Amino acid sequence: MTAVFLNGMDVSFLDEIEQAGGTFRDGDEVRDALAILRDNGINSIRLRIWNDPPGGYCNTERTLAMAERIKALGLHFLLDFHYSDKWADPANQWKPRAWEKLGFDELREAVRLYTKETLTALKARGALPDMVQIGNEITPGMLWDDGRVGGDDWDTDGQWGKFTELVKAGIDGAKEAAPDINVMIHIDRGGDNAGSRKFYDRFEQYGVPFDTIGLSYYPWWHGSLDDLRCNLDDLAVRYRKDIIVVETAYPWTIGKREGHPFIVQSEEQLHEGYPATPEGQAAYMRDFVELIKRTPEGRGVGFHYWEPCWIPAKTEWSVGHPNNWANLTLFDFTGRKLPALEIFRSSDVRPE
């Protein structure tokens, strides 16, 4: 896939932050956040794309502009298709409004064509992604209810058949636009080996052709680092595919901030051995990266930190809820770089 280990960041909110006047500092100097990331060892950027988001960010037009910036800096680019107008995750996999009344065959064709047209537009701008996700955290399926598989009522051979047909349509569209593009399939079960095996066994059963396994791993939801290690060790040998932990984060504080109800706000949510301090965050990231690199057969090829730049630049956000992530960033509330960002400068060597 790549000769280097991917030190990645998902900066999908960066466009909106900059439009709100948010700035970033490396020391005392105000600089472009993407340049700060690159100069601190980050070599891959992930963006989500929504079909027609009400807030106007993360749509095709804004993605094209961000992608050009990413490529201009020489960075690897991962594009995350949500196939929705809003968040797609294990609790939400809702169709875009424009697709809600389509029959199944029409829906499958819409997925193929939208994927192809998006990548074709990026290619025309010299900003073709190096890798694409066909869906985001699709453990329970996607494009509900046609592609729904989560829960006993939906966990049937018929539903898995429909779900995987929709995924294959996305892959077909991607390959029509860019035959050599790397395809990732992403679920949320970083510390859950049984759940991960159930999902990827199904994809093998239905012959879904993809290149890279993507996992989300947040310790307050997905278990310990040892749980993650056990899962990576098994998946690497079982499926012989490269693996990226494509979402993670850790707090640098749990101190309350008015107007920001943080997702991680108590000692009980922290991983043992890693306090919610700038130094504790840096220690977590250092150990997390080394754990991935120890994956058998060199299959652990990288990570992406989720929203390291989502500083509290404004109070109302396009996604319709407050910033609940500002203590999980790699910049402090004012946009100044935190120590954890400095550990990646010499960690881009891919394990053999």
Side-chain angles (χ1 to χ4, degrees), residues 11-44:
V11 298
S12 299
F13 271 117
L14 181 58
D15 184 19
E16 186 170 357
I17 294 163
E18 292 174 335
Q19 295 298 315
T23 59
F24 297 87
R25 290 173 171 79
D26 191 347
D28 293 327
E29 182 183 3
V30 176
R31 300 180 60 208
D32 176 8
L34 290 176
I36 294 174
L37 294 175
R38 179 201 61 190
D39 292 350
N40 282 272
I42 300 310
N43 54 24
S44 180

Side-chain angles (χ1 to χ4, degrees), residues 17-214:
I17 294 163
E18 292 174 335
Q19 295 298 315
T23 59
F24 297 87
R25 290 173 171 79
D26 191 347
D28 293 327
E29 182 183 3
V30 176
R31 300 180 60 208
D32 176 8
L34 290 176
I36 294 174
L37 294 175
R38 179 201 61 190
D39 292 350
N40 282 272
I42 300 310
N43 54 24
S44 180
I45 297 294
R46 178 188 191 230
L47 297 178
R48 62 176 169 268
I49 186 168
W50 289 326
N51 289 46
D52 187 19
Y57 291 96
C58 300
N59 60 13
T60 300
E61 178 185 0
R62 302 306 303 167
T63 298
L64 287 169
M66 287 295 296
E68 286 182 316
R69 292 173 58 187
I70 292 165
K71 284 298 184 178
L73 288 171
L75 298 167
H76 176 276
F77 175 30
L78 166 59
L79 184 62
D80 176 8
F81 284 95
H82 281 229
Y83 299 111
S84 182
D85 294 335
K86 53 190 176 183
W87 299 116
D89 55 42
N92 301 279
Q93 293 285 344
W94 306 109
K95 294 175 187 173
R97 290 185 299 275
W99 297 356
E100 286 177 350
K101 296 182 180 180
L102 298 180
F104 182 76
D105 290 342
E106 295 173 310
L107 179 62
R108 182 173 54 194
E109 176 61 11
V111 172
R112 184 195 68 81
L113 189 60
Y114 169 71
T115 309
K116 178 182 178 180
E117 290 180 345
T118 300
L119 294 178
T120 299
L122 284 160
K123 187 176 183 179
R125 299 271 284 266
L128 184 69
D130 302 277
M131 179 183 290
V132 292
Q133 284 181 223
I134 303 301
N136 185 75
E137 294 188 330
I138 56 173
T139 317
M142 68 183 195
L143 294 162
W144 290 349
D145 285 332
D146 287 76
R148 192 168 195 161
V149 296
D152 292 341
D153 291 342
W154 301 95
D155 190 8
T156 66
D157 289 344
Q159 284 299 119
W160 277 94
K162 293 173 70 176
F163 169 35
T164 53
E165 283 300 309
L166 293 171
V167 172
K168 290 176 184 177
I171 294 171
D172 287 345
K175 293 293 187 178
E176 288 170 26
D180 296 328
I181 202 164
N182 190 292
V183 174
M184 174 189 287
I185 299 297
H186 169 215
I187 65 172
D188 70 315
R189 301 302 177 94
D192 177 3
N193 183 240
S196 298
R197 287 174 60 153
K198 175 182 177 180
F199 182 92
Y200 290 112
D201 280 357
R202 280 287 200 172
F203 267 45
E204 284 200 334
Q205 176 187 349
Y206 285 91
V208 180
F210 69 99
D211 306 295
T212 302
I213 289 173

Side-chain angles (χ1 to χ4, degrees), residues 121-344:
L122 284 160
K123 187 176 183 179
R125 299 271 284 266
L128 184 69
D130 302 277
M131 179 183 290
V132 292
Q133 284 181 223
I134 303 301
N136 185 75
E137 294 188 330
I138 56 173
T139 317
M142 68 183 195
L143 294 162
W144 290 349
D145 285 332
D146 287 76
R148 192 168 195 161
V149 296
D152 292 341
D153 291 342
W154 301 95
D155 190 8
T156 66
D157 289 344
Q159 284 299 119
W160 277 94
K162 293 173 70 176
F163 169 35
T164 53
E165 283 300 309
L166 293 171
V167 172
K168 290 176 184 177
I171 294 171
D172 287 345
K175 293 293 187 178
E176 288 170 26
D180 296 328
I181 202 164
N182 190 292
V183 174
M184 174 189 287
I185 299 297
H186 169 215
I187 65 172
D188 70 315
R189 301 302 177 94
D192 177 3
N193 183 240
S196 298
R197 287 174 60 153
K198 175 182 177 180
F199 182 92
Y200 290 112
D201 280 357
R202 280 287 200 172
F203 267 45
E204 284 200 334
Q205 176 187 349
Y206 285 91
V208 180
F210 69 99
D211 306 295
T212 302
I213 289 173
L215 301 172
S216 293
Y217 170 72
Y218 300 105
W220 53 91
W221 286 326
H222 301 135
S224 68
L225 283 169
D226 194 55
D227 292 328
L228 173 64
R229 179 190 59 77
C230 290
N231 196 22
L232 294 177
D233 287 357
D234 180 71
L235 299 183
V237 174
R238 186 175 181 85
Y239 301 109
R240 296 288 196 271
K241 293 183 183 293
D242 287 344
I243 306 172
I244 296 176
V245 182
V246 76
E247 290 189 28
T248 197
Y250 201 77
W252 54 273
T253 182
I254 52 174
K256 296 186 183 302
R257 184 175 176 86
E258 186 175 354
H260 295 83
F262 296 142
I263 285 178
V264 179
Q265 56 184 327
S266 70
E267 295 283 347
E268 291 74 19
Q269 292 173 283
L270 303 180
H271 193 296
E272 183 180 0
Y274 303 98
T277 63
E279 295 75 21
Q281 182 191 55
Y284 167 85
M285 287 307 301
R286 186 178 296 109
D287 291 348
F288 167 81
V289 170
E290 289 306 311
L291 183 153
I292 296 172
K293 287 184 174 182
R294 293 195 298 270
T295 301
E297 302 181 3
R299 292 292 184 180
V301 301
F303 73 93
H304 288 77
Y305 194 103
W306 199 80
E307 294 295 359
C309 301
W310 195 10
I311 61 174
K314 61 180 185 177
T315 56
E316 299 293 331
W317 295 83
S318 63
V319 291
H321 62 73
N323 181 342
N324 53 18
W325 207 259
N327 66 330
L328 294 163
T329 54
L330 296 178
F331 296 86
D332 69 15
F333 297 138
T334 69
R336 192 179 301 275
K337 181 184 74 174
L338 290 165
L341 190 51
E342 297 184 352
I343 72 169
F344 309 118

